[in-house]
Amino acid sequence: MFGRSRGAGAPKSRSPRSGQATALLAASATFSLFLIAAIVAAWSVFYAPGPEARGGAETTIVTLPSGAGVSAIAANLKAAGVIRSTDMFKVAATLTGADRKLRAGEYEVPSKASLRSVLVLLVEGRVVRHYVTLPEGWSSAQAVDILMRQPLLTGDIPTTPEEGSLWPDTYEISRGDTRASVIARMTKAQADNLARLWAARSPRTVVKSPEEAVILASIVEKETAVAAERPRVAAVFSNRLRIGMRLESDPTIVYGITQGRPLGRGIRRSELDRRTEWNTYQIDGLPPTPIANPGGEALAAVLNPPASDELFFVADGSGGHAFARTYEEHLANVARWREIERRKAGLPPGAPPPAVPGTSPGVPNADPDAATVPPGVVVPPGAQVIRVPQQAPAQ
């Protein structure tokens, strides 16, 4: 009559739901351990030292082209030996958000740089910057020499640019840029700056066109290395042109001989007397072309010369020049300069000083083809004396 009941000690049957929970907990624990291990491994790879630079170098140069995606960048870095795994780089870039910020350019990656360091380098755009400088007063032939010696540039320069057509400045270049493209940038900069300076010219300027401004500015540039003197030198030459006196500038003699390259010695008497298109001792007015590529200060000095009645200048022994209004004042300055030359040459007092073009009209050299400046005497740019004027100075 009575049903059978379980004894107090009989085992209870296991609930299916309880077994599933246990399995889920076990699986979750396993997954968590795996995830932790994966995070630790990824963390160690992210911060661990990367590959050593090849050949024992301290850095590796790698160039990332503009427009490249993360996969292409990763392949480029792997090929250069900067990273170990393209997949790890792409994962790290994606998880950190760097994949949307990577910048193209040339990079110098330190040896053993971690993956994190590489990503920071690329995100911050710490590219290697290269520069090339065309100094003020250098000729177009010298500009070609500068660019041809630059190993980062490619290609040739078919023809030497016109004299005076380049803007002296420092230009940033990238590995693989063509030399022709740098010349194009220099030419555009010259055209833009010349137009700006020409628009701001003073009524006192004697030049009648931008082309004449470049010609006269190139002579001013070559005559003095002292920036503060350029306006004063420009005023002297402007005054001479205004009254019809010859410029008589020694750098124009040199250009007629070398076409823009350094002469490397003193000017010979025969060269001073030789007529060329540029020798302003022999021609009236301006030469047909510039003799160098003038900078902005020389152009500004020519286009805005100060009011002045000076017609002469000669070196003063300090790297600058002594200026004079009259020929008598000029002769006194010349005498002082010749005394300085005598001391530089180690000549005793009373000995004839070294000859300088135009300082002693009527006293011929023993050797008409001898250098005007003897060995051992260093004459700064523009030190040569302007000769006796062809007509009386304006009073």
Side-chain angles (χ1 to χ4, degrees), residues 261-273:
R261 299 189 186 280
L263 183 60
R265 57 170 173 77
I267 298 171
R268 300 182 186 279
R269 177 66 61 179
S270 60
E271 292 165 341
L272 184 143
D273 295 333

Side-chain angles (χ1 to χ4, degrees), residues 136 213 216-218 220-222 230-231 234 294-303:
E136 296 173 338
L216 183 55
S218 71
V220 171
E221 193 78 78
K222 296 296 288 186
R230 290 179 185 130
E297 291 184 2
L299 278 164
V302 164
L303 292 170

Side-chain angles (χ1 to χ4, degrees), residues 59-254:
T59 59
T60 298
I61 299 294
V62 58
T63 302
L64 305 180
S66 179
V70 178
S71 296
I73 291 174
N76 204 325
L77 295 173
K78 180 70 164 59
V82 170
I83 61 174
R84 290 191 172 90
S85 168
T86 57
D87 291 335
M88 186 60 69
F89 177 86
K90 288 186 286 186
V91 169
T94 302
L95 292 178
T96 60
D99 56 334
R100 300 183 299 274
K101 304 174 185 177
L102 301 178
R103 302 183 187 182
E106 180 180 330
Y107 292 89
E108 194 172 39
V109 184
S111 179
K112 299 182 180 179
S114 67
L115 186 54
R116 177 187 178 278
S117 299
V118 173
L119 282 171
V120 169
L121 197 67
L122 271 55
V123 168
E124 294 184 354
R126 292 189 227 155
V127 297
V128 180
R129 298 187 180 277
H130 303 282
Y131 300 91
V132 62
T133 298
L134 173 61
E136 296 173 338
W138 283 43
S139 68
S140 293
Q142 289 175 299
V144 171
D145 292 343
I146 291 170
L147 296 182
M148 293 306 297
R149 288 196 299 266
Q150 177 50 257
L152 299 180
L153 299 175
T154 61
D156 203 352
I157 302 173
T159 58
T160 301
E162 291 184 7
E163 201 66 78
S165 66
L166 307 178
W167 186 253
D169 204 350
T170 296
Y171 296 83
E172 185 172 352
I173 60 173
S174 298
R175 188 181 299 272
D177 283 351
T178 65
R179 295 180 174 90
S181 70
V182 180
I183 288 290
R185 289 166 58 195
M186 292 178 173
T187 303
K188 184 179 185 305
Q190 196 274 352
D192 292 345
N193 283 288
L194 179 57
R196 173 180 56 83
L197 291 166
W198 177 255
R201 68 190 182 279
S202 163
R204 286 195 302 271
T205 185
V206 295
V207 296
K208 299 178 177 62
S209 67
E211 292 73 23
E212 285 189 358
V214 176
I215 294 172
L216 183 55
S218 71
I219 298 174
V220 171
E221 193 78 78
K222 296 296 288 186
E223 278 286 3
T224 179
V226 180
E229 284 190 348
R230 290 179 185 130
R232 209 167 175 183
V233 172
V236 169
F237 286 140
S238 297
N239 291 339
R240 284 180 160 245
L241 289 171
R242 195 173 287 114
I243 65 175
M245 287 174 61
R246 287 180 174 173
L247 297 182
E248 297 184 342
S249 166
D250 284 6
T252 63
I253 301 174
V254 175

Side-chain angles (χ1 to χ4, degrees), residues 274-292:
R274 184 189 311 159
R275 184 181 180 89
T276 70
E277 292 182 275
W278 294 272
N279 186 350
T280 53
Y281 281 89
Q282 304 298 326
I283 65 171
D284 298 325
L286 294 170
T289 71
I291 62 171

